[in-house]
């Protein structure tokens, strides 16, 4: 038997996780053999777990998970918001209207599962991450989140090789080949361009050769090469932000649309969803759709150009992210006068500006914490678990107080969401990595 | 190592795993302190449980039970097959209805609350691990049941409104999907449809009979 250098805490976790979905009773010796534990240590822990009710005896000396283990199921998927002064929703005595009828947009892919048993590998493993780019704060925050998760799971990861394609799909193709040549157990990828067929074809070939591929944030056009895709609902971001804009304007007004990066799948899906909502409001005129590369400068340039063309500020500026929204808001502030209603969150500065200058806004942060979730999922794939084919990290609706509309209500108030003590370019949706010391994330190819 | 060494390891595990549901901890230090463990070994244990997926942190850094903990808990009930789909189903249901959504296990007149997601509309209610159902609360397939969920809070009997729909019946136990209601603002008749749709999706994915 190989030497078991695990801690008792790790052994307890392994024992509790060794039962099947039906909690079928197991022979103790069988458990210890499977987990590679010595008899003295294994039986010592089993006895202690039995004594505390984590396990219970069944027939013929077999054991199964006990009553104490059932309590583990009582778990919040997200922490409830801390209690703060002021009600989260309007006082029902002052606002007796009931909520609008809920609309459940069910995506069946979210509950479709994949058995990854064929990718099972004994840890530690080698993971390659082919990143589309690190060109904006959101992408760096996503990388920060992924790096945080790597630190948590360091015992399971021998090496993580990271490349940066600088938004160039040809460069990404070369880098993917380099990663594969270095011998990786799983490829994690964020695609530089959804329309690049050679890259899609290469991923399909790698999948056929048995390499598990997980996409994060941006996926290839042909999703059949992927084991799973970790993202957030771009459709929800586009739809809810456009609905808020249309309702905030009372169903009438001129809107400019500032999208992110042309060719990037999140930008495309948010824009399509928003256009579809605007088309339901005959009084809303979409005057222009521009691309901004998800940069502050791109947002400012687009607004300057449109102001030059039309000579008149719009009633609303729909941005698919605050990355360019900041540039737009600043441009209008520079002109003096009222700033039109805006959409787009993500970056701390967008919240600071809108809260400080009282700009009406709605924000749905595209969660940078999906980086950590993608790495966790990659490890689940290499453990051979059953995993979802698509994971959508939840997206909160953030509104300043007083900006709720008939259909769009706040999950969080912007005044509480903004972080005054953090830098302007902080991405608030990166999870616990947000307050980690910022390390350097220069992409490197490990030897 | 002696039997006491193993017993202590289990007690340490128990102390840490019990903290997230009972309090809000945003740093390892507060979690370790609440568990009554010395910092020297506490940090190592927390890191281990996080790596094993038994603890995790949400976007604000608050410690929560990990997804492996939820799976283990549902396996202990013998309902492990629905564990992988529980998170997307409950999260989508909460997102669509803005009400607290949960998976529960009814055992006669009692309801054990499993994984849940707190909706802004009903976040004023602190989710209890166990409720009592009102007498005469009969669960019928394809029919959401509006009921009162009773519990004791420091010796005071309290109740909260809820709506539940049965998912899987096995012997004396029925697994249900449910939503908490806000008496002032919730429209139970409008919430029944998304609840049933969530049940239907879960049946399709797990192949379980209704």
């Amino acid at each position: 038997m190989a030497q078991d250098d695990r801690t008792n805490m790790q052994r307890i976790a392994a024992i509790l996780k060794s039962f099947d979905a039906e909690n079928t009773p197991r022979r103790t010796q069988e458990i210890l053999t499977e987990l590679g534990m010595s008899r003295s240590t294994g039986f010592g822990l089993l006895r202690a777990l039995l004594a505390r009710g984590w396990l219970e005896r069944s027939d013929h000396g077999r054991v199964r998970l006990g009553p104490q283990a059932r309590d583990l199921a009582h778990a919040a998927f997200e922490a409830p918001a801390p209690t703060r002064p002021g009600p989260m929703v309007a006082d029902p005595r002052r606002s007796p209207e009931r909520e609008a009828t809920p609309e459940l947009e069910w995506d069946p892919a979210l509950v479709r599962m994949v058995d990854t048993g064929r990718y099972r590998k004994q840890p530690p493993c080698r993971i390659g991450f082919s990143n589309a780019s690190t060109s904006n704060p959101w992408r760096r925050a996503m990388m920060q989140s992924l790096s945080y998760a790597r630190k948590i799971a360091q015992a399971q990861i021998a090496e993580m090789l990271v490349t940066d394609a600088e938004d160039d799909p040809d460069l990404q193709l070369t880098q993917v080949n380099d990663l594969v040549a270095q011998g990786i157990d799983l490829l994690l990828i964020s695609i530089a361009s959804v329309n690049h067929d050679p890259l899609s074809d290469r991923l399909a070939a790698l999948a056929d050769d048995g390499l598990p591929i997980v996409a994060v944030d941006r996926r290839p056009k042909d999703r059949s090469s992927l084991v799973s895709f970790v993202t957030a609902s771009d459709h929800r971001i586009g739809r809810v932000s456009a609905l808020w804009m249309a309702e905030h304007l009372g169903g009438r007004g001129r809107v400019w649309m500032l999208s992110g990066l042309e060719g990037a799948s999140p930008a495309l899906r948010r824009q399509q969803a928003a256009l579809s909502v605007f088309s339901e409001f005959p009084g809303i005129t979409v005057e222009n759709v521009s691309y901004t590369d998800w940069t502050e400068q791109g947002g400012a340039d687009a607004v300057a150009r449109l102001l030059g063309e039309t000579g008149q500020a719009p009633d609303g500026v729909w941005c698919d992210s605050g990355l360019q929204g900041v540039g737009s808001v600043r441009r209008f502030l520079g002109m003096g006068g009222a700033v039109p209603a805006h959409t787009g969150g993500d970056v701390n500065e967008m919240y600071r500006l809108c809260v400080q200058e009282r700009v009406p806004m709605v924000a749905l942060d595209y969660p940078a914490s999906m980086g950590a979730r993608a790495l966790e999922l990659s490890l689940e794939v290499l453990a051979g678990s059953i995993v979802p084919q698509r994971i959508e990290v939840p997206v909160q609706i953030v509104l300043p107080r007083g900006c709720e509309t008939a259909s769009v209500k706040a999950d969080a108030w912007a005044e509480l969401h903004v972080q005054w003590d953090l830098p302007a370019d902080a991405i608030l949706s990166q999870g616990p990595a947000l307050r980690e010391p910022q390390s350097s994330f220069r992409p490197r190819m490990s030897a | 190592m002696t039997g006491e060494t193993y017993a202590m390891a289990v007690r340490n595990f128990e102390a840490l795993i019990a903290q997230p549901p009972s309090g809000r901890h945003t740093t390892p230090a507060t979690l370790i302190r609440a568990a009554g463990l010395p910092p020297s070994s506490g940090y190592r244990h927390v890191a281990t449980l996080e790596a094993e997926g038994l603890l995790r942190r949400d976007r604000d850094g608050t410690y929560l039970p990990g997804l492996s903990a939820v799976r283990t808990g549902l396996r202990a009930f013998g309902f492990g097959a629905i564990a992988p789909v529980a998170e997307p189903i409950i999260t989508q249901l909460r997102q669509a209805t803005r009400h607290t959504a949960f998976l529960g296990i009814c055992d006669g007149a009692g309801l054990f609350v499993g994984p849940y997601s707190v909706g802004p509309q009903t976040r004023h209610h602190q989710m209890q691990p166990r409720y009592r159902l009102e007498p005469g609360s009969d669960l019928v397939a394809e029919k959401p049941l509006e009921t009162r969920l009773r519990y004791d809070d420091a010796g005071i009997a309290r109740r909260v409104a809820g709506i539940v729909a049965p998912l899987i019946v096995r012997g004396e136990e029925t697994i249900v999907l449910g939503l908490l209601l806000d008496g002032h603002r919730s429209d139970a008749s409008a919430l029944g449809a998304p609840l049933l749709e969530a049940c239907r999706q879960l049946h399709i994915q797990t192949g379980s009979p209704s």
Side-chain angles (χ1 to χ4, degrees):
Chain A
M1 189 182 292
Q3 192 189 344
D4 178 14
D5 54 2
R6 286 174 291 190
T7 64
N8 280 335
M9 202 60 86
Q10 287 171 313
R11 293 186 186 109
I12 289 168
I15 291 171
L16 294 179
K17 288 198 261 183
S18 70
F19 293 87
D20 67 11
E22 285 78 36
N23 198 17
T24 310
R26 302 189 69 186
R27 290 185 188 285
T28 49
Q29 186 56 55
E30 176 193 313
I31 297 171
L32 302 189
T33 306
E34 181 186 293
L35 301 179
M37 286 183 202
S38 68
R39 280 179 66 85
S40 59
T41 301
F43 279 114
L45 282 172
L46 286 173
R47 266 195 298 273
L49 287 166
L50 279 161
R52 303 289 295 184
W54 289 94
L55 299 178
E56 63 185 9
R57 286 196 191 281
S58 178
D59 51 350
H60 301 96
R62 293 168 198 249
V63 296
R64 64 182 176 191
L65 291 167
Q68 188 86 340
R70 290 180 193 164
D71 289 345
L72 291 176
H74 179 67
F77 281 132
E78 296 137 293
T83 309
R84 308 235 198 195
M88 192 57 219
V89 292
D91 184 340
R93 286 165 298 189
R94 281 190 284 120
S95 175
E97 81 276 7
R98 286 170 176 244
E99 286 279 295
T101 304
E103 164 190 353
L104 188 62
E105 287 190 351
W106 203 276
D107 181 354
L110 290 177
V111 283
R112 207 169 287 144
M113 297 291 138
V114 187
D115 186 348
T116 63
R118 69 190 174 113
Y119 302 121
R120 190 192 305 269
K121 186 182 180 303
Q122 278 297 103
C125 55
R126 285 164 63 88
I127 293 177
F129 177 38
S130 172
N131 195 1
S133 91
T134 50
S135 61
N136 64 50
W138 187 91
R139 298 211 66 81
R140 292 191 287 278
M142 193 264 279
M143 192 63 228
Q144 178 92 8
S145 151
L146 193 140
S147 180
Y148 174 84
R150 182 201 172 182
K151 205 164 71 178
I152 299 288
Q154 57 188 334
Q156 293 158 271
I157 301 173
E159 194 169 18
M160 194 162 88
L161 310 173
V162 181
T163 59
D164 177 358
E166 298 167 21
D167 289 316
D168 178 351
D170 291 316
L171 176 59
Q172 186 163 39
L173 178 57
T174 308
Q175 291 176 337
V176 165
N177 287 328
D178 287 346
L179 287 172
V180 172
Q182 290 187 70
I184 52 174
D185 300 309
L186 180 142
L187 175 65
L188 184 59
I189 189 164
S190 183
I191 292 283
S193 172
V194 70
N195 296 318
H196 194 264
D197 290 334
L199 186 54
S200 268
D201 294 345
R202 179 63 181 137
L203 293 180
L206 290 171
D208 286 346
D209 289 346
L211 180 71
I213 304 173
V214 172
V216 57
D217 168 39
R218 304 182 194 171
R219 65 168 174 78
K221 194 161 55 182
D222 175 14
R223 65 176 79 181
S224 65
S225 55
L226 305 179
V227 175
S228 186
F229 176 39
V230 180
T231 182
S233 175
D234 292 304
H235 179 81
R236 178 172 151 84
I237 292 173
R239 190 177 60 79
V240 173
S241 54
L243 184 61
W244 175 85
M245 178 69 78
E247 290 186 347
H248 177 77
L249 297 179
R252 303 193 64 80
R254 298 162 46 244
V255 173
W256 293 351
M257 290 180 71
L258 305 188
S259 279
L261 181 69
E262 195 163 10
S265 54
L268 187 66
R269 284 195 293 271
R270 290 177 209 174
Q271 189 191 87
Q272 285 170 340
L275 281 169
S276 152
V277 169
F278 286 138
S279 71
E280 292 166 16
F281 291 84
I284 295 285
T285 307
V286 175
E287 289 193 336
N288 192 282
V289 179
S290 305
Y291 288 94
T292 60
D293 295 340
W294 278 313
T295 61
E296 180 178 340
Q297 191 60 48
D301 290 349
V303 167
R305 179 174 51 77
L306 291 168
L307 282 170
E309 285 170 14
T310 63
Q312 191 187 2
D315 301 301
V317 181
W318 178 90
C319 301
D320 70 2
S321 167
L323 292 167
Q324 71 269 28
V326 169
S328 171
V329 172
R330 277 199 210 284
R331 187 73 184 75
F332 285 109
L333 284 172
M335 291 165 53
V339 178
H342 272 69
T343 69
D346 293 321
V347 64
N348 201 20
E349 183 66 354
M350 184 70 178
Y351 292 104
R352 285 186 184 187
L353 284 174
C354 290
V355 169
Q356 250 169 357
E357 306 295 335
R358 299 182 183 278
V359 178
M361 61 102 74
V362 69
L364 288 96
D365 286 347
Y366 189 57
S369 61
M370 70 175 69
R373 188 70 188 93
L375 189 64
E376 285 166 15
L377 179 88
S378 300
L379 294 172
E380 287 175 40
V381 170
L382 292 172
S385 307
I386 294 173
V387 302
Q389 206 174 57
R390 178 185 172 94
I391 290 179
E392 282 187 0
V393 181
V395 175
Q396 278 189 313
I397 300 172
V398 185
L399 287 161
R401 288 180 197 272
C403 282
E404 289 186 329
T405 64
S407 309
V408 182
K409 309 290 182 188
D411 291 321
W413 295 126
E415 292 86 346
L416 300 178
H417 188 68
V418 63
Q419 300 291 323
W420 299 106
D421 60 329
L422 288 180
D425 66 349
I427 298 293
L428 303 182
S429 60
Q430 61 180 286
L434 180 63
R435 289 185 182 274
E436 283 281 294
Q438 304 289 305
S439 55
S440 168
F441 286 102
R442 291 186 193 288
R444 62 182 175 81
M445 296 290 293
S446 303
Chain B
M1 277 189 263
T2 65
E4 179 50 30
T5 308
Y6 301 121
M8 186 191 285
V10 172
R11 283 199 301 271
N12 289 346
F13 169 78
E14 221 168 84
L16 285 171
I17 210 83
Q19 292 314 312
S22 59
R24 187 179 175 87
H25 305 289
T26 52
T27 64
T30 58
L31 183 75
I32 292 162
R33 208 176 304 128
L37 299 183
S40 52
S41 57
Y43 282 99
R44 200 176 62 240
H45 295 330
V46 170
T48 300
L49 294 181
E50 224 175 324
E52 293 287 345
L54 291 164
L55 287 178
R56 68 186 174 120
R57 290 191 234 185
D58 76 351
R59 62 179 147 240
D60 301 320
T62 306
Y63 277 97
L64 296 172
L67 296 180
S68 285
V70 176
R71 281 184 205 142
T72 305
L74 289 173
R75 281 179 187 164
F77 279 103
F79 290 120
I82 58 170
V85 288
E87 188 188 19
I89 294 236
I90 290 170
T91 305
Q92 266 206 20
L93 187 58
R94 186 266 300 159
Q95 220 160 258
T97 62
R98 299 173 45 77
H99 286 66
T100 298
F102 62 90
L103 195 78
I105 293 144
C106 282
D107 170 13
L111 171 71
F112 171 83
V113 175
Y116 62 95
S117 178
V118 177
Q121 198 63 270
T122 42
R123 69 170 44 153
H124 53 82
H125 178 71
Q126 171 76 43
M127 203 75 192
Q128 305 293 310
R130 199 168 280 280
Y131 295 93
R132 296 184 303 280
L133 292 175
E134 286 207 314
S137 298
D138 295 327
L139 293 164
V140 179
E142 295 289 309
K143 199 172 168 198
L145 171 73
E146 197 180 340
T147 185
R148 300 283 170 188
L149 305 173
R150 296 170 182 276
Y151 63 102
D152 292 322
D153 179 13
I156 301 166
R158 297 188 186 277
R159 63 184 187 177
V160 63
I163 177 170
V164 292
L167 263 176
I168 303 165
V169 181
R170 197 197 52 193
E172 294 291 299
E173 290 176 330
T174 304
I175 193 154
V176 298
L177 263 185
L179 292 165
L180 287 188
L181 302 179
D182 181 313
H184 294 290
R185 295 171 66 94
S186 303
D187 181 355
S189 60
L191 296 171
L195 188 60
L196 286 180
E197 176 59 19
C199 291
R200 201 177 66 80
Q201 287 294 331
L202 208 139
H203 285 308
I204 292 170
Q205 299 309 322
T206 59
S208 56
S210 46

